[in-house]
Amino acid sequence: MPPSTPVSRSKTAALSRILDLVPRGYQRYTSGTIRADKAERLAHKFHARYAIGATPAQRLVRKQRGDANALLVLYWPENAETVHWLLLATEGKGLEQENWLSVTSKSRLTWLGYELVRYPTRGRTSWTWRRPKSEMAEHHLTLASLTGQRNESALKAWLERLAHQPGFHGVRQQTWRLYQESHRRGFTGPLPVIYYVQKISHGEPMQLTAS
């Protein structure tokens, strides 16, 4: 099969791909945006430089040589003019050409409006996405405003929007806390079911060349 990299059309697919890769050692990253008409060229360049389309067997050989392995995450909605990209890599040689950061640093990876965090579960550490503190502060202000106006229809619509944001563990926890706060502030209506991320495809494959 020719080398390829998936193109994620939704935020959930793109963010899920990162959650699948980080526990496997892909914990160095660099990111950016690019015009849609140049995105394929960028993917080809990364394949030529970092073999982002390598097979599992080729990745094993690279690891044995001490070379880093890399994978590309593309968030490219249909008809979008701008593509968001994030390149993830393992430890190893050959990463000198980019400004790499670490997902374990105090400055958390924030991408597509969400920040990557670790949390304990069943005696081990897992990764999840959550809304940044600044966004949560805005949500609490919105909640206070809507409950203060006693506008239950507007509040219900706002809660529905929260429920359908990418349903990762961290986001779901934050949404539930906002639900609890809405009840404390007097909301008596039914609470929307919070969306839960199931296993989904990371996207459709884009074929790559090394030229």
Side-chain angles (χ1 to χ4, degrees), residues 46-143:
F46 283 151
H47 181 54
R49 186 176 293 178
Y50 303 118
I52 61 169
T55 65
Q58 290 168 337
R59 291 180 184 279
L60 182 58
V61 171
R62 291 175 61 86
K63 182 178 180 180
Q64 291 172 342
R65 287 201 310 248
D67 294 335
N69 281 305
L71 287 163
L72 179 63
V73 184
L74 288 173
Y75 172 53
W76 190 345
E78 295 285 354
N79 303 317
E81 295 182 359
T82 301
V83 175
H84 295 257
W85 61 268
L86 186 135
L87 194 62
L88 286 164
T90 63
E91 294 294 334
K93 299 179 296 185
L95 301 180
E96 295 78 15
Q97 298 186 65
E98 312 291 339
N99 180 26
W100 298 92
L101 301 171
S102 173
V103 299
T104 59
S105 68
K106 289 184 179 180
S107 179
R108 292 190 175 96
L109 165 58
T110 301
W111 201 56
L112 303 182
Y114 297 90
E115 64 179 16
L116 184 67
V117 294
R118 286 179 286 191
Y119 71 100
T121 176
R122 298 176 183 177
R124 60 186 179 87
T125 298
S126 292
W127 294 86
T128 189
W129 294 100
R130 72 181 182 191
R131 303 178 185 96
K133 289 182 179 179
S134 57
E135 181 182 339
M136 287 302 296
E138 293 175 4
H139 283 317
H140 281 286
L141 288 174
T142 299
L143 177 58

Side-chain angles (χ1 to χ4, degrees), residues 2-211:
S4 66
T5 190
V7 175
S8 299
R9 301 301 187 186
S10 70
K11 282 188 179 182
T12 300
L15 295 171
S16 293
R17 178 161 161 78
I18 296 169
L19 287 186
D20 285 348
L21 296 176
V22 167
R24 291 161 48 191
Y26 290 85
Q27 298 192 357
R28 300 177 72 181
Y29 72 93
T30 186
S31 63
T33 59
I34 194 168
R35 279 175 22 197
D37 59 353
K38 294 184 176 182
E40 286 194 38
R41 192 184 316 166
L42 178 72
H44 295 320
K45 183 187 81 170
F46 283 151
H47 181 54
R49 186 176 293 178
Y50 303 118
I52 61 169
T55 65
Q58 290 168 337
R59 291 180 184 279
L60 182 58
V61 171
R62 291 175 61 86
K63 182 178 180 180
Q64 291 172 342
R65 287 201 310 248
D67 294 335
N69 281 305
L71 287 163
L72 179 63
V73 184
L74 288 173
Y75 172 53
W76 190 345
E78 295 285 354
N79 303 317
E81 295 182 359
T82 301
V83 175
H84 295 257
W85 61 268
L86 186 135
L87 194 62
L88 286 164
T90 63
E91 294 294 334
K93 299 179 296 185
L95 301 180
E96 295 78 15
Q97 298 186 65
E98 312 291 339
N99 180 26
W100 298 92
L101 301 171
S102 173
V103 299
T104 59
S105 68
K106 289 184 179 180
S107 179
R108 292 190 175 96
L109 165 58
T110 301
W111 201 56
L112 303 182
Y114 297 90
E115 64 179 16
L116 184 67
V117 294
R118 286 179 286 191
Y119 71 100
T121 176
R122 298 176 183 177
R124 60 186 179 87
T125 298
S126 292
W127 294 86
T128 189
W129 294 100
R130 72 181 182 191
R131 303 178 185 96
K133 289 182 179 179
S134 57
E135 181 182 339
M136 287 302 296
E138 293 175 4
H139 283 317
H140 281 286
L141 288 174
T142 299
L143 177 58
S145 175
L146 291 174
T147 53
Q149 297 168 16
R150 300 190 181 280
N151 188 341
E152 291 226 340
S153 61
L155 178 55
K156 182 179 178 181
W158 178 73
L159 292 173
E160 286 278 2
R161 289 195 295 274
L162 291 179
H164 285 86
Q165 289 182 341
F168 299 103
H169 176 79
V171 175
R172 287 167 56 84
Q173 281 193 324
Q174 291 172 318
T175 300
W176 180 245
R177 286 197 289 270
L178 289 167
Y179 279 11
Q180 291 176 312
E181 180 66 17
S182 71
H183 271 169
R184 283 195 291 270
R185 289 179 174 272
F187 179 66
T188 58
L191 294 171
V193 176
I194 302 173
Y195 173 71
Y196 181 84
V197 172
Q198 310 236 347
K199 190 73 175 176
I200 61 172
S201 168
H202 292 155
E204 55 199 61
M206 174 201 297
Q207 292 192 5
L208 299 168
T209 63
S211 58

